[in-house]
């Protein structure tokens, strides 16, 4: 988005708002630390077990808690002090991660310990996310939200691009266990930054508006709308299919690097492979604003789905790791097309009073169902089949989902003509 001369002072005012800067910095610091763990944990599990199933379970353990706790956390977060909830959940995540390097000082951390840490950190993170969704709107004006979110997410994406490559170097030099200590420290720093925010992160009217309404009634209303609105239902289904294949790819990435290219956990190239998807995602965020002015969300989403299937086939037969890295970047572009358009459609068609519940259910179905199922399925397949065959099979959901999407697009076009 190009800012006009009248809008540009707002960009300056955000950076002069100390509370916004603290919230922005807390997000960036914790994302950067988590990007290190995203490389180090699967590297530790695979080095110890050589098991694709156990390695892929890490991706499932990181996503499934959203399904288990998302509805409850989303409904309850606005009824408590968001700052306090965010601080304590950050501290809890840091303490959980710190157990890995502490154990590594005396013995190799057991695979079950690593899986338990992944599950617990992700579970606590659901409650943090639920609180943080409502924190930013309390600090900035309504007309600044797009700009504020852009600043937060662009910096977070940059961290997700840079840190995996740095994580590969850290793992090669100090070991995976010690590298996870960086993430533990990042959560402590993030907690301190959130604690230092001066203004309240809850609006005074929140409690009064929600008093007398049951959590179950709120949950049912959001679910009913998501599953009965046809366009939102379609885009949610497309998102779940994309998340399934994405979960399969994430869960297999360490195994794929090892078996296809001989890249082990101590090889710095592993970090570059993890970073490639972030580069593609960043490129997609630059392309989408311009493309969305020319094309509707549905064709852009279908292009992303089809391109994702092509990328998985390409990865299955990639002749070298640089080609694999390029294809992983292409996957980042394709998947971001599906993600951003799905979120935009939900936001455009959902009534204001249902935004939080409908969007959190959409995220649960993609991140909490599709991604972990894809990771587990890929791990089980890779135990019995080659990585090449597994990737080809994981492309099938994308191909299958494109057909009903095209049919729905044609129906909408026919309705418009009539």
């Amino acid at each position: 988005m190009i800012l006009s001369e009248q809008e540009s002072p707002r960009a300056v005012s955000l950076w002069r708002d100390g509370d916004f800067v603290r919230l922005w910095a807390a997000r960036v610091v914790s994302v950067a630390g988590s990007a290190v763990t995203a490389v180090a944990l699967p590297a530790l599990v695979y080095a110890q077990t050589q098991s694709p199933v156990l390695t892929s379970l890490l991706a499932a353990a990181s996503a499934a808690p959203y399904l288990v706790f998302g509805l409850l956390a989303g409904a309850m977060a606005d009824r408590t002090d968001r700052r306090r909830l965010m601080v304590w959940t950050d501290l809890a995540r840091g303490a959980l991660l710190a157990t890995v390097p502490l154990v590594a000082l005396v013995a190799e951390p057991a695979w079950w310990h690593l899986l338990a840490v992944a599950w617990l950190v992700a579970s606590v993170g659901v409650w943090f996310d639920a609180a943080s969704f409502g924190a930013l709107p309390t600090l900035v004006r309504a007309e600044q939200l797009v700009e504020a979110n852009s600043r937060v997410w662009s910096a977070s994406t940059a961290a997700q691009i840079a840190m995996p490559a740095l994580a590969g170097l850290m793992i090669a030099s100090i070991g995976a266990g010690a590298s996870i200590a960086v993430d533990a420290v990042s959560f402590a720093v993030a907690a301190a930054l959130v604690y230092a925010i001066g203004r309240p992160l809850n609006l005074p009217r929140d409690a009064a508006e929600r008093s007398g309404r049951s959590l179950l009634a709120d949950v049912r209303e959001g679910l009913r709308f998501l599953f009965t609105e046809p366009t939102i239902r379609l885009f949610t289904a497309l998102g779940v299919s994309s998340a399934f294949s994405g979960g399969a790819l994430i869960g297999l990435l360490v195994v794929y690097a090892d078996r296809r290219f001989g890249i082990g956990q101590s090889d710095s190239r592993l970090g570059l492979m993890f970073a490639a998807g972030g580069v593609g995602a960043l490129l997609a965020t630059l392309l989408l604003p311009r493309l969305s002015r020319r094309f509707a969300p549905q064709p852009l989403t279908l292009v992303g789905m089809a391109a994702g299937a092509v990328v998985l086939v390409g990865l299955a037969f990639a002749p070298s790791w640089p080609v694999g890295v390029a294809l992983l970047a292409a996957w980042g572009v394709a998947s971001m097309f599906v993600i951003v358009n799905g979120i935009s459609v939900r936001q455009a068609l959902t009534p204001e009073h249902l935004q939080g519940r409908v969007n959190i259910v959409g995220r649960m179905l993609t991140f909490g169902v599709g991604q972990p199922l894809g990771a587990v399925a890929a791990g089980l397949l890779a135990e019995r089949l080659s990585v090449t065959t597994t990737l080809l099979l994981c492309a099938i959901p994308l191909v299958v989902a494109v057909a009903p999407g095209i049919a729905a697009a044609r129906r909408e076009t026919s309705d418009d003509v009539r």
Side-chain angles (χ1 to χ4, degrees), residues 142-162:
E143 63 270 20
Q144 290 180 301
L145 277 172
V146 172
E147 180 192 347
N149 277 305
S150 296
R151 293 190 180 280
V152 170
W153 286 102
S154 61
S156 299
T157 302
Q160 289 171 329
I161 293 170

Side-chain angles (χ1 to χ4, degrees), residues 124 165 175 210 251 295 323 343 349 366 402:
V124 174
R210 287 192 171 270
F295 303 100
V323 174
I343 293 172
L349 298 182
T366 54
V402 168

Side-chain angles (χ1 to χ4, degrees), residues 126-141:
V126 174
W127 299 89
F128 177 89
D129 285 347
S132 67
F133 285 151
L136 188 61
T138 66
L139 294 181
V140 302
R141 300 190 300 271

Side-chain angles (χ1 to χ4, degrees), residues 157-158 160-161 164 273-284 328-329 332-333 336:
T157 302
Q160 289 171 329
I161 293 170
M273 296 187 74
F274 273 87
V279 174
L282 184 59
L283 176 60
L328 288 168
V333 174
M336 190 58 65

Side-chain angles (χ1 to χ4, degrees), residues 59-134:
S62 298
Y66 220 97
L67 176 65
V68 177
F69 303 114
L71 287 175
L72 181 62
M76 291 184 62
D78 287 340
R79 302 183 179 217
T80 188
D81 187 301
R82 290 192 184 113
R83 186 210 324 273
R84 186 180 305 162
L85 184 57
M86 292 168 68
V87 168
W88 281 110
T89 50
D90 265 346
L91 291 175
R93 288 189 287 180
L96 288 166
L97 286 165
T99 64
V100 176
L102 288 175
V103 169
L105 292 174
V106 295
E108 185 178 46
W111 64 265
W112 57 264
H113 174 200
L114 301 173
L115 285 173
V117 167
W119 167 268
L120 291 171
V121 168
S123 298
V124 174
V126 174
W127 299 89
F128 177 89
D129 285 347
S132 67
F133 285 151

Side-chain angles (χ1 to χ4, degrees), residues 156-175:
S156 299
T157 302
Q160 289 171 329
I161 293 170
M163 290 308 295
L166 180 59
L169 296 174
M170 291 173 59
I171 292 170
S173 59
I174 64 175

Side-chain angles (χ1 to χ4, degrees), residues 71-85 127 130-131 134 201-203 205-219 357:
L71 287 175
L72 181 62
M76 291 184 62
D78 287 340
R79 302 183 179 217
T80 188
D81 187 301
R82 290 192 184 113
R83 186 210 324 273
R84 186 180 305 162
L85 184 57
W127 299 89
L201 299 181
N202 293 72
L203 296 178
R205 63 177 181 274
D206 285 350
E209 288 178 350
R210 287 192 171 270
S211 62
R213 296 193 311 196
S214 72
L215 291 173
L216 184 58
D218 285 351
V219 169
R357 281 164 282 170

